[in-house]
Amino acid sequence: MSLPVANFLSFFAIAAVEFSVPFVAVDTLGANATIVALLGICRFAPQVLLAGPAARLVERFDQRAVMIGSELLRAVAFALAALGLAFAPGVAIGVFCLANISLACGSILTAVSTQVLIPQAFTDEALPKIYSRLGMAESSADAAAPFVTGLALAAVGLTPTFASAAVLALAACGLLARIPRVRVPNGSASDEKAEGPGTADAEPTGDAAPARKSTLRGGLAINFRTSALRTVTVWSLSYNFGQCVIEAVLLITLLHTTPLSATTYGVIRSCSVLFAVLGAFVAERLPRALRSGWGTSLFGCGAVGAYTVIGLGAYMGGTGGLLLVLAGFVIDEFCSGVVLVRVQTFRARAITDAERPMATASYRAANLTAVPVGLAVGGVAGVLMNSATLLLTIGLLMVIPAAVIWSRAVRESEPTTA
């Protein structure tokens, strides 16, 4: 239970700061769109640039030390953010940028370390359950944090709110101190699970790590090594890219074609996130026939196919179109909640323990790169063509990754498990 609870505390604190920093920057400091974009770049670009070094740190140290260190980086980020308004506006923006960079460094370390820890610290049969609990914790935090943070900013102000986030990060450190000292095995052929917390802290043996662990290129090659891994990776990149193209113009389109208000949009997005929690809950309770590659294909197809529904709703307009958009978001979040657990379980079984740090780092770096590229393409295309037409076009094109993950390679990638 320590890991999911720590995950909830950590993601709650992160979501609180991600909500507060741009809001305060615009509302209090008068930041323009360029400054908001700069803050976003500082939040995500370091995760791409430092993916390789992060993987090498994970390979070198035990995972308890790495995860506690990443939480301490977050605590530093929250403390910096709490001090932001003590300076002049120009300096305050710089402090917020430093806070986001520190937050990004912690995020990439946690992302890689978690995927290394879980397959070694838990039995193969327990993987869906732990990934389900982590997914529920993250989605619950993402859903609750903006609401609670908005109330906190109004009631107590910025500094106490960010200081509270730092306290949550330190509390997560206390929980993470209970996890085993899992280390990455030295040798690409190793794919053995730890026999238990008492045996997970053995020192790696051998003189040198395999060459393919040393670069992101080698890690990326692992993600394309088999037909099933290649299909899942292409699907993930397509999903993130297409989703971000749509996000770049969605709100503008809905404001023009539907009776959307700020309240309605907030309700749509918040309620949708709750279905992600439900999806993660259902993921470990699927019917026996879907506890395999069939489940990955079915819900992966539903997650990207939902954007076809969103595109149709935005193009159609009116109240009916808005209801279609709501249905699309609900389908996306629910299916995403399920497929994330399925994909994580599949990757944990398909990639060896020794290869996992760099494979995870390169996978995350590639997906994070797809996000700003998709936003940029959507932003430019939205200026060059009608945004409603763009949404419909991209929505229809999302049928392609839906078909990709329905491939036989994925459906037959895992046997049905009890």
Side-chain angles (χ1 to χ4, degrees):
M1 292 299 297
S2 297
L3 193 58
V5 175
N7 203 53
F8 175 83
L9 294 177
S10 181
F11 275 97
F12 187 96
I14 292 170
V17 172
E18 288 179 336
F19 173 85
S20 302
V21 164
F23 181 85
V24 172
V26 173
D27 185 61
T28 305
L29 302 177
N32 57 24
T34 302
I35 297 299
V36 173
L38 176 62
L39 290 170
I41 290 171
C42 290
R43 176 68 181 93
F44 292 104
Q47 296 190 58
V48 177
L49 299 175
L50 299 177
R56 284 187 280 275
L57 279 173
V58 170
E59 290 171 348
R60 182 176 179 182
F61 297 101
D62 72 82
Q63 303 318 301
R64 182 166 73 186
V66 172
M67 295 184 74
I68 290 176
S70 66
E71 286 301 325
L72 291 176
L73 280 172
R74 292 191 178 103
V76 169
F78 303 147
L80 283 172
L83 296 173
L85 291 184
F87 303 95
V91 178
I93 293 297
V95 172
F96 284 159
C97 286
L98 288 175
N100 273 4
I101 291 171
S102 181
L103 203 59
C105 293
S107 293
I108 185 63
L109 282 171
T110 296
V112 178
S113 184
T114 300
Q115 297 308 315
V116 169
L117 168 70
I118 292 173
Q120 289 186 255
F122 295 90
T123 63
D124 188 74
E125 294 77 11
L127 292 179
K129 178 180 290 187
I130 187 62
Y131 283 129
S132 173
R133 290 182 178 180
L134 291 176
M136 290 170 62
E138 180 177 347
S139 296
S140 298
D142 287 342
F147 174 74
V148 175
T149 304
L151 294 178
L153 287 174
V156 300
L158 178 72
T159 299
T161 300
F162 284 0
S164 299
V167 170
L168 290 178
L170 293 175
C173 287
L175 290 168
L176 292 172
R178 302 169 61 183
I179 68 176
R181 291 183 177 274
V182 173
R183 285 185 178 270
V184 177
N186 193 17
S188 61
S190 175
D191 192 29
E192 298 178 357
K193 309 295 182 197
E195 294 180 9
T199 61
D201 57 352
E203 292 286 338
T205 59
D207 297 325
R212 64 179 167 181
K213 289 171 61 180
S214 62
T215 65
L216 283 178
R217 180 180 296 180
L220 193 61
I222 295 169
N223 289 288
F224 285 85
R225 182 169 55 196
T226 67
S227 180
L229 277 170
R230 182 165 56 250
T231 300
V232 168
T233 301
V234 170
W235 169 84
S236 180
L237 292 172
S238 302
Y239 179 36
N240 281 292
F241 175 79
Q243 182 185 52
C244 290
V245 173
I246 287 176
E247 286 289 347
V249 294
L250 179 62
L251 182 56
I252 295 172
T253 305
L254 293 180
L255 288 172
H256 283 94
T257 64
T258 69
L260 183 74
S261 66
T263 301
T264 305
Y265 191 63
V267 169
I268 288 174
R269 300 310 294 257
S270 295
C271 289
S272 299
V273 174
L274 296 178
F275 280 88
V277 181
L278 179 61
F281 175 79
V282 169
E284 65 160 318
R285 297 167 175 82
L286 292 172
R288 181 179 175 83
L290 296 179
R291 299 177 202 168
S292 64
W294 278 94
T296 305
S297 290
L298 176 64
F299 291 101
C301 182
V304 293
Y307 282 89
T308 302
V309 178
I310 292 172
L312 288 170
Y315 185 80
M316 186 174 75
T319 302
L322 191 58
L323 290 175
L324 268 182
V325 171
L326 172 60
F329 276 127
V330 167
I331 295 169
D332 171 44
E333 294 291 352
F334 177 77
C335 290
S336 295
V338 177
V339 76
L340 179 61
V341 174
R342 297 304 319 158
V343 166
Q344 288 177 323
T345 301
F346 162 69
R347 287 175 54 81
R349 292 167 174 167
I351 299 173
T352 67
D353 291 334
E355 295 170 327
R356 190 165 286 113
M358 198 60 74
T360 301
S362 63
Y363 183 79
R364 184 172 177 85
N367 279 285
L368 285 175
T369 301
V371 171
V373 172
L375 289 171
V377 170
V380 173
V383 173
L384 299 177
M385 63 186 294
N386 179 272
S387 61
T389 303
L390 175 63
L391 278 174
L392 178 61
T393 302
I394 300 300
L396 293 175
L397 288 175
M398 292 294 267
V399 171
I400 297 175
V404 164
I405 201 168
W406 193 254
S407 69
R408 181 178 180 180
V410 176
R411 295 199 311 271
E412 297 181 358
S413 61
E414 295 181 77
T416 301
T417 55

